[in-house]
mmCIF file of all heavy atoms in Angstrom:
data_model
loop_
_atom_site.group_PDB
_atom_site.id
_atom_site.type_symbol
_atom_site.label_atom_id
_atom_site.label_comp_id
_atom_site.label_asym_id
_atom_site.label_seq_id
_atom_site.Cartn_x
_atom_site.Cartn_y
_atom_site.Cartn_z
ATOM 1 N N ARG B 57 3.845 -40.801 -31.537
ATOM 2 C CA ARG B 57 3.851 -39.613 -30.900
ATOM 3 C C ARG B 57 5.153 -38.762 -31.329
ATOM 4 O O ARG B 57 5.043 -37.576 -31.488
ATOM 5 C CB ARG B 57 3.935 -39.741 -29.408
ATOM 6 C CG ARG B 57 2.538 -40.294 -28.973
ATOM 7 C CD ARG B 57 2.591 -40.665 -27.518
ATOM 8 N NE ARG B 57 2.881 -39.595 -26.593
ATOM 9 C CZ ARG B 57 2.004 -38.547 -26.141
ATOM 10 N NH1 ARG B 57 0.743 -38.794 -26.324
ATOM 11 N NH2 ARG B 57 2.411 -37.699 -25.488
ATOM 12 N N HIS B 99 -15.769 -29.714 -21.754
ATOM 13 C CA HIS B 99 -16.620 -28.480 -21.505
ATOM 14 C C HIS B 99 -17.322 -28.045 -22.864
ATOM 15 O O HIS B 99 -18.198 -27.112 -22.796
ATOM 16 C CB HIS B 99 -15.965 -27.501 -20.721
ATOM 17 C CG HIS B 99 -14.718 -27.021 -21.587
ATOM 18 N ND1 HIS B 99 -13.534 -27.767 -21.684
ATOM 19 C CD2 HIS B 99 -14.424 -26.000 -22.419
ATOM 20 C CE1 HIS B 99 -12.693 -27.141 -22.438
ATOM 21 N NE2 HIS B 99 -13.128 -26.109 -22.866
ATOM 22 N N SER B 145 -22.221 -41.670 -26.279
ATOM 23 C CA SER B 145 -21.610 -43.162 -26.071
ATOM 24 C C SER B 145 -20.144 -43.200 -26.634
ATOM 25 O O SER B 145 -19.634 -42.206 -27.213
ATOM 26 C CB SER B 145 -22.411 -44.084 -26.852
ATOM 27 O OG SER B 145 -22.196 -43.888 -28.380
ATOM 28 N N ARG B 149 -18.254 -40.688 -29.300
ATOM 29 C CA ARG B 149 -17.175 -39.964 -28.928
ATOM 30 C C ARG B 149 -15.900 -40.176 -29.883
ATOM 31 O O ARG B 149 -15.265 -39.373 -30.343
ATOM 32 C CB ARG B 149 -16.635 -40.311 -27.601
ATOM 33 C CG ARG B 149 -17.566 -39.818 -26.601
ATOM 34 C CD ARG B 149 -17.014 -40.066 -25.150
ATOM 35 N NE ARG B 149 -17.970 -40.294 -24.255
ATOM 36 C CZ ARG B 149 -17.610 -40.487 -22.805
ATOM 37 N NH1 ARG B 149 -16.462 -40.735 -22.502
ATOM 38 N NH2 ARG B 149 -18.607 -40.751 -22.058
ATOM 39 N N ARG B 160 -9.210 -31.115 -40.144
ATOM 40 C CA ARG B 160 -7.794 -30.540 -40.259
ATOM 41 C C ARG B 160 -7.445 -30.712 -41.838
ATOM 42 O O ARG B 160 -6.609 -30.017 -42.236
ATOM 43 C CB ARG B 160 -6.827 -31.306 -39.336
ATOM 44 C CG ARG B 160 -6.960 -30.790 -38.001
ATOM 45 C CD ARG B 160 -5.541 -30.805 -37.469
ATOM 46 N NE ARG B 160 -4.712 -29.737 -38.114
ATOM 47 C CZ ARG B 160 -3.516 -29.423 -37.603
ATOM 48 N NH1 ARG B 160 -2.942 -30.017 -36.597
ATOM 49 N NH2 ARG B 160 -2.841 -28.529 -38.251
ATOM 50 N N PRO C 40 -21.051 -43.241 -18.873
ATOM 51 C CA PRO C 40 -21.258 -43.024 -20.250
ATOM 52 C C PRO C 40 -21.990 -44.212 -20.917
ATOM 53 O O PRO C 40 -21.784 -45.341 -20.656
ATOM 54 C CB PRO C 40 -19.753 -43.182 -20.939
ATOM 55 C CG PRO C 40 -18.978 -43.627 -19.848
ATOM 56 C CD PRO C 40 -19.554 -43.396 -18.520
ATOM 57 N N ASP C 43 -23.072 -48.072 -26.515
ATOM 58 C CA ASP C 43 -23.973 -48.152 -27.656
ATOM 59 C C ASP C 43 -24.820 -49.427 -27.522
ATOM 60 O O ASP C 43 -24.384 -50.367 -27.029
ATOM 61 C CB ASP C 43 -23.118 -48.355 -28.916
ATOM 62 C CG ASP C 43 -22.837 -47.065 -29.474
ATOM 63 O OD1 ASP C 43 -22.882 -46.086 -28.850
ATOM 64 O OD2 ASP C 43 -22.341 -47.052 -30.852
ATOM 65 N N GLU C 246 -2.559 -31.853 -25.417
ATOM 66 C CA GLU C 246 -1.869 -32.416 -26.704
ATOM 67 C C GLU C 246 -2.726 -32.142 -27.892
ATOM 68 O O GLU C 246 -2.203 -31.809 -28.842
ATOM 69 C CB GLU C 246 -1.567 -33.853 -26.596
ATOM 70 C CG GLU C 246 -0.595 -34.158 -25.269
ATOM 71 C CD GLU C 246 -0.142 -35.540 -25.256
ATOM 72 O OE1 GLU C 246 -0.804 -36.393 -25.571
ATOM 73 O OE2 GLU C 246 1.162 -35.676 -24.875
ATOM 74 N N LEU C 250 -1.530 -29.816 -31.030
ATOM 75 C CA LEU C 250 -1.539 -30.263 -32.385
ATOM 76 C C LEU C 250 -2.454 -29.244 -33.289
ATOM 77 O O LEU C 250 -2.045 -29.012 -34.485
ATOM 78 C CB LEU C 250 -2.171 -31.688 -32.619
ATOM 79 C CG LEU C 250 -1.296 -32.660 -32.028
ATOM 80 C CD1 LEU C 250 -2.056 -34.086 -31.925
ATOM 81 C CD2 LEU C 250 0.046 -32.876 -32.831
ATOM 82 N N TRP C 261 -8.936 -21.695 -22.964
ATOM 83 C CA TRP C 261 -9.853 -22.552 -23.642
ATOM 84 C C TRP C 261 -9.929 -24.044 -22.962
ATOM 85 O O TRP C 261 -10.802 -24.634 -23.072
ATOM 86 C CB TRP C 261 -9.407 -22.733 -25.225
ATOM 87 C CG TRP C 261 -9.716 -21.405 -25.864
ATOM 88 C CD1 TRP C 261 -9.793 -20.136 -25.302
ATOM 89 C CD2 TRP C 261 -9.902 -21.365 -27.242
ATOM 90 N NE1 TRP C 261 -9.954 -19.317 -26.354
ATOM 91 C CE2 TRP C 261 -10.170 -19.957 -27.542
ATOM 92 C CE3 TRP C 261 -9.959 -22.292 -28.307
ATOM 93 C CZ2 TRP C 261 -10.437 -19.603 -28.947
ATOM 94 C CZ3 TRP C 261 -10.363 -21.786 -29.557
ATOM 95 C CH2 TRP C 261 -10.490 -20.514 -29.841
#
Side-chain angles (χ1 to χ4, degrees):
Chain B
R57 291 169 63 83
H99 57 286
S145 70
R149 289 186 211 178
R160 280 217 67 170
Chain C
D43 272 18
E246 295 189 328
L250 290 169
W261 289 28

